[in-house]
Amino acid sequence: MSRRVVLVTGGAGFIGSNIAARFAADRDTDVVVCDRFGDADAGKWRNLAEHPIADVVAPEALWDWLAARGRSVELVVHMGAVSSTTDPDADKVVQTNFGLSRDLFRWCAENGRRFLYASSAATYGDGAQGFDDDPSYEALAALRPLNVYGWSKALFDLFAVREAARQSAPPQWVGLKFFNVYGPNEEHKGPMRSVISQV
């Protein structure tokens, strides 16, 4: 019996760990997590402690891992990001949220792998342009995010739509704009936890 491999970037984080757990529940799926765990006392590792993870890859080792083992990957679930809407390092936010996403999108396109990624409600800005799920380039380009986090996510949404129009996209790709997500495994996020968790 063949086993499918799912790579989850940000797989130890809040949303990523829940996705990794769901895939890991399937005995025919090997889940590979790409993430940093940080301080053991912060407890991010606990998000995966109850689930059979096939491999853990540090973000700086991702491209070497893909070069060596990427042929086995069926799906890339890209949840890895700088998720703080107040991070002052714009270069880090853009390189992580746009640059890494762009490179993974291209890798999936070149290798015929499916790609699912996290966009954000922050791409809508103050909502003056509405909250329609219009995936057209024109509608996405009209959005005005209010911070570098939202802009970095919007920039990648535009890139993905443009690449798809050029027939340079993965065989299947989906961007999810998350709104007010809350639930298990967000405790490590500190002040960036959901309002529900903080209350």
Side-chain angles (χ1 to χ4, degrees), residues 9 19 25 36-37 44 56 68 78 81 87 95 102 105 116 140 158-159 161-163 166 169-170 172 182 186-187 189:
T9 69
I19 292 171
R36 290 188 179 90
F37 292 88
K44 192 174 175 182
V56 176
H78 181 42
D87 194 307
Q95 181 52 44
R102 176 203 60 216
F105 186 93
L116 186 146
L140 293 171
L158 287 167
F159 170 83
V161 168
R162 196 168 49 244
E163 289 299 290
R166 296 172 179 164
Q172 180 184 38
Y182 67 94
E186 63 174 308
E187 292 75 22
K189 293 177 68 76

Side-chain angles (χ1 to χ4, degrees), residues 1 3 12-13 19 24 35 41 53 61 66 76 79-80 93 98 116 119 127-128 131 134 140 145 156 158 163 165 187:
M1 183 181 296
R3 300 176 67 82
I19 292 171
D35 209 336
D41 291 337
I53 303 303
L66 284 171
V76 174
M79 297 291 118
V93 173
F98 173 71
L116 186 146
S119 182
F131 297 97
D134 184 343
L140 293 171
F156 180 70
L158 287 167
E163 289 299 290
E187 292 75 22

Side-chain angles (χ1 to χ4, degrees), residues 34 46 52 61 72 74-76 83 88 90 100 103-105 116 125 148 153 165 175 180 198:
C34 177
R46 288 186 180 93
S72 62
E74 176 184 308
L75 168 66
V76 174
S83 61
L100 177 58
D103 294 345
L104 281 170
F105 186 93
L116 186 146
V148 70
K153 292 292 193 173
N180 300 318
Q198 292 186 50

Side-chain angles (χ1 to χ4, degrees), residues 34-104:
C34 177
D35 209 336
R36 290 188 179 90
F37 292 88
D39 187 334
D41 291 337
K44 192 174 175 182
W45 63 272
R46 288 186 180 93
N47 292 347
L48 296 173
E50 297 177 14
H51 309 289
I53 303 303
D55 203 355
V56 176
V57 181
E60 57 274 13
L62 177 60
W63 298 108
D64 288 339
W65 189 91
L66 284 171
R69 301 190 185 124
R71 283 185 290 177
S72 62
V73 173
E74 176 184 308
L75 168 66
V76 174
V77 180
H78 181 42
M79 297 291 118
V82 174
S83 61
S84 171
T85 58
T86 59
D87 194 307
D89 189 342
D91 292 318
K92 177 180 74 175
V93 173
V94 172
Q95 181 52 44
T96 302
N97 296 354
F98 173 71
L100 177 58
S101 301
R102 176 203 60 216
D103 294 345
L104 281 170

